[in-house]
C-alpha cells in the first residue's frame, strides 16, 4: 500500500532485470535555467517523425525532472495536436479522453 518513485537509472536497471523495454530515451541533459534553450530543445524533439514509427508524427515528449522529488511534464507536438483535432472533427474518439 505505498508508492516508491525510482530514479531513471533505477527504472532502466529494473526493466533490464525483468527483461522489459523502457520508453525511448531521446536525450539526457542538465537544465541550467535557460527556459528558451529548453523550449528549443523540446521543440526540436517534437517537430519530426516519431521515434517509434517514422511514418507517423511525434505525439509528444515527456520531460522527467529529478531533483528533490521526481516530476514528469509532457508536451504534445503541434502537428500531433492538429491531427488529433482533425480526427475529433471527423467523429473519431480520442482514446486519452475516453479513459
Amino acid at each position: 500500500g505505498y508508492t516508491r518513485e525510482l530514479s531513471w537509472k533505477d527504472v532502466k536497471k529494473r526493466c533490464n532485470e525483468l527483461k522489459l523495454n523502457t520508453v525511448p530515451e531521446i536525450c539526457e541533459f542538465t537544465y541550467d535555467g535557460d527556459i528558451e534553450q529548453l523550449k528549443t530543445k523540446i521543440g526540436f524533439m517534437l517537430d519530426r517523425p516519431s521515434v517509434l514509427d517514422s511514418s507517423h508524427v511525434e505525439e509528444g515528449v515527456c520531460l522527467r525532472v529529478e531533483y528533490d522529488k521526481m516530476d514528469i511534464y509532457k508536451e504534445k507536438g503541434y502537428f500531433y495536436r492538429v491531427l488529433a483535432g482533425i480526427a475529433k472533427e471527423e467523429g473519431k474518439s480520442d482514446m486519452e479522453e475516453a479513459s
Side-chain angles (χ1 to χ4, degrees), residues 15-52:
C15 284
N16 189 46
E17 292 169 355
L18 297 172
K19 298 184 179 2
L20 298 171
N21 294 325
T22 66
V23 297
E25 183 176 358
I26 299 172
C27 73
E28 184 175 324
F29 66 95
T30 302
Y31 178 60
D32 63 1
D34 185 343
I35 191 71
E36 292 306 317
Q37 181 184 29
L38 177 61
K39 288 178 182 179
T40 299
K41 184 176 282 277
I42 290 172
F44 173 75
M45 291 181 230
L46 292 171
D47 295 334
R48 63 181 186 182
S50 170
V51 296
L52 298 175

Side-chain angles (χ1 to χ4, degrees), residues 8-98:
W8 180 239
K9 178 182 172 184
D10 289 338
V11 168
K12 292 189 289 188
K13 179 181 174 189
R14 185 66 175 141
C15 284
N16 189 46
E17 292 169 355
L18 297 172
K19 298 184 179 2
L20 298 171
N21 294 325
T22 66
V23 297
E25 183 176 358
I26 299 172
C27 73
E28 184 175 324
F29 66 95
T30 302
Y31 178 60
D32 63 1
D34 185 343
I35 191 71
E36 292 306 317
Q37 181 184 29
L38 177 61
K39 288 178 182 179
T40 299
K41 184 176 282 277
I42 290 172
F44 173 75
M45 291 181 230
L46 292 171
D47 295 334
R48 63 181 186 182
S50 170
V51 296
L52 298 175
D53 178 356
S54 63
S55 69
H56 193 274
V57 297
E58 187 65 67
E59 176 181 343
V61 296
C62 291
L63 177 64
R64 183 182 177 109
V65 178
E66 295 180 8
Y67 192 62
D68 292 335
K69 62 178 184 154
M70 192 269 301
D71 287 311
I72 297 177
Y73 303 94
K74 183 173 185 181
E75 177 70 22
K76 292 196 182 245
Y78 172 76
F79 296 114
Y80 177 81
R81 291 191 316 256
V82 168
L83 292 172
I86 291 169
K88 288 179 194 175
E89 287 178 7
E90 293 175 356
K92 297 180 181 176
S93 64
D94 183 333
M95 290 173 40
E96 285 187 56
E97 288 179 7

